[in-house]
Amino acid sequence: AGRAAPGAQDPNRELTLRRLDDGKPAQVLVNAMAAEDGVTLVMLDVTEERRVSAERERLEVQLLHAQKLEAVGRLAGGVAHDFNNLLTVILSSLTLLRADGVGGELHRTMLDDCLQAAHRAANLTGQLLTFSRRQRFAPADLDLNEVVANTTKMLQRLIGEHITLETRFAPRGAHVEADRGMIEQALMNLAVNSRDAMPKGGRLRLETALVDITTAEAEARPRARFGAFVRVTVSDTGCGIAPDDLPHIFEPFFTTKGVGKGTGLGLATVFGIIDQHGGWIEVESHVGVGTTMHLFLPRLRREASPPPPLLPERRPRGGRETILLVEDEREVRAVMKVMLERQGYCVHVAASADEALRVWPTHREAIDLLVTDVVMPGGVSGRDLTAALRAQKPGLKVILCSGYTDEALGPDSLLRDHASFLAKPFDMQVFLGRVRECLDDS
């Protein structure tokens, strides 16, 4: 097979030939020139040049895709941050109304429905934050065998009885350093996709395995790396993914589902989770046969530590301490103030760090706890405010709040010191419990 090289008058032809020594294909430019005694052929092996060119094109496409994902991620993170402030107001207000027993049974049912919808919205913004890599990342030593086994208990109810769920586990454990909640979310997102691909039933299989990627294998696979990994495989016997759609499945808001049946964030979230854990995803899919997702996570060489025991849920008690609440969103500030005052606390409020610094001198000796948002207008962050107030009162207790956490998790973050952190949107009981824990912490 051959083709003319670029240029209408170019006498070169590019041919694919086979080498005599090893039989491998070679790209060769052939130039035929007339001579007195016949034709002279000049052949130039351009195999390496073509390989380098193809690799350059592939890397340029990957770079463009990464830049698109980064831009959308920044947008998603900002939108999710604003949504979390709104949801903090909605969830807290609904919880207060529910606790007050407002209205009759019908009203309580409507409040419960609103609370459920608000929690679903909070979960959606959590997916946006995970995709944008702004979700709080809390890794721990885990055995993925145990994580997958526990997750499958919920998955059977999620996917329905018309789908057979099968599992297979690595025999010697599958130890990784990972955020349990994020991994569970990734598995559930994949299971939901598989369920939707098998409306008439089928088989969903989850499997863990220990794999070692060689240097040659890493070079041959686009995102693979050399080293020891745990591979989690999620495969189904569903409708499969069309070849034209396959390159786009991890793009945010891309979906092949009908209107109202998918947000296009499920696989984008899975991609963000695995990428944040230093891993990658490989996909195999055939229309009418099914889809297989291989998730690769770096493997630990040590035994995983057991999960902490579950403690019984208790209603947080209140107190008489004094709290300085700093929050720039008026609605969030108002509902947090009501929640704290109902528990008996004395609350001073400020809409910015500058305003807090004006309130502080008058009430410094009485203030036991600072509750502040991380990102605020005026150029002074919650971290800066904390540092300034602790310089005057080293024993001051602090809770930092934020709808996203990348600003608060730097190498010099106060979260690594004595400050607590609370992600928005938060449940009222969680917030009040954290306040009490912080005040009681000696």
Side-chain angles (χ1 to χ4, degrees), residues 306-359:
L310 294 177
L311 300 177
E313 185 177 354
R314 294 183 301 173
R315 185 178 182 85
R317 61 183 177 87
R320 298 297 177 185
E321 292 91 346
T322 299
I323 297 173
L324 175 57
L325 172 63
V326 188
E327 168 61 56
D328 61 294
E329 293 285 343
R330 181 181 61 83
E331 296 87 354
V332 178
R333 186 170 64 249
V335 74
M336 291 176 72
K337 183 175 186 290
V338 171
M339 291 162 60
L340 291 168
E341 289 179 337
R342 282 196 170 202
Q343 292 293 101
Y345 299 111
C346 175
V347 183
H348 300 288
V349 297
S352 66
D354 288 339
E355 187 176 336
L357 290 172
R358 291 194 294 271
V359 171

Side-chain angles (χ1 to χ4, degrees), residues 90-391:
I90 294 169
L91 283 167
S92 301
S93 299
L94 290 172
T95 303
L96 288 172
L97 289 172
R98 188 69 173 84
D100 287 347
V102 175
E105 185 63 31
L106 176 60
H107 290 101
R108 287 193 291 272
T109 301
M110 293 172 68
L111 282 173
D112 288 341
D113 290 342
C114 290
L115 275 168
Q116 185 178 4
H119 280 296
R120 289 175 59 190
N123 182 61
L124 182 59
T125 58
Q127 293 192 39
L128 280 169
L129 288 171
T130 300
F131 164 71
S132 67
R133 301 187 68 171
R134 288 177 171 154
Q135 184 66 290
R136 191 182 185 192
F137 187 47
D141 293 358
L142 301 177
D143 183 352
L144 284 186
N145 283 353
E146 182 261 331
V147 175
V148 172
N150 284 340
T151 305
T152 52
K153 297 175 183 177
M154 297 181 289
L155 290 185
Q156 188 63 72
R157 294 192 296 271
L158 181 68
I159 63 179
E161 296 181 355
H162 64 300
I163 296 175
T164 301
L165 181 59
E166 299 177 354
T167 56
R168 177 180 293 179
F169 301 105
R172 298 185 302 279
H175 304 299
V176 299
E177 186 174 27
D179 184 301
R180 178 183 292 269
M182 287 187 177
I183 297 300
E184 290 175 347
Q185 181 180 356
L187 294 175
M188 294 190 71
N189 284 6
L190 293 177
V192 168
N193 270 20
S194 294
R195 178 200 64 188
D196 294 344
M198 299 183 287
K200 296 182 180 179
R203 185 178 71 253
L204 175 62
R205 184 186 186 93
L206 278 73
E207 180 178 355
T208 61
L210 308 183
V211 295
D212 294 296
I213 307 296
T214 66
T215 302
E217 289 173 330
E219 292 176 350
R221 291 148 68 173
R223 290 179 54 83
R225 298 198 318 276
F226 167 79
F229 296 88
V230 173
R231 183 184 66 207
V232 181
T233 299
V234 180
S235 61
D236 63 56
T237 57
C239 59
I241 304 170
D244 290 344
D245 292 333
L246 204 54
H248 306 288
I249 60 174
F250 295 118
E251 294 178 5
F253 310 112
F254 176 84
T255 179
T256 58
K257 300 176 183 179
V259 176
K261 295 183 179 180
T263 63
L265 283 173
L267 287 180
T269 299
V270 175
F271 180 92
I273 289 172
I274 302 304
D275 184 64
Q276 191 165 354
H277 283 80
W280 73 93
I281 305 174
E282 295 179 359
V283 186
E284 304 168 22
S285 188
H286 302 280
V287 175
V289 176
T291 300
T292 298
M293 298 269 184
H294 298 291
L295 316 180
F296 293 85
L297 296 170
R299 189 164 86 232
L300 287 180
R301 294 296 188 181
R302 58 186 183 273
E303 292 293 316
S305 57
L310 294 177
L311 300 177
E313 185 177 354
R314 294 183 301 173
R315 185 178 182 85
R317 61 183 177 87
R320 298 297 177 185
E321 292 91 346
T322 299
I323 297 173
L324 175 57
L325 172 63
V326 188
E327 168 61 56
D328 61 294
E329 293 285 343
R330 181 181 61 83
E331 296 87 354
V332 178
R333 186 170 64 249
V335 74
M336 291 176 72
K337 183 175 186 290
V338 171
M339 291 162 60
L340 291 168
E341 289 179 337
R342 282 196 170 202
Q343 292 293 101
Y345 299 111
C346 175
V347 183
H348 300 288
V349 297
S352 66
D354 288 339
E355 187 176 336
L357 290 172
R358 291 194 294 271
V359 171
W360 173 257
T362 305
H363 305 283
R364 178 177 63 185
E365 296 305 319
I367 292 173
D368 303 291
L369 173 67
L370 169 66
V371 178
T372 178
D373 197 15
V374 175
V375 182
M376 291 183 293
V380 181
S381 70
R383 293 189 300 164
D384 298 331
L385 176 63
T386 299
L389 299 189
R390 276 188 168 170

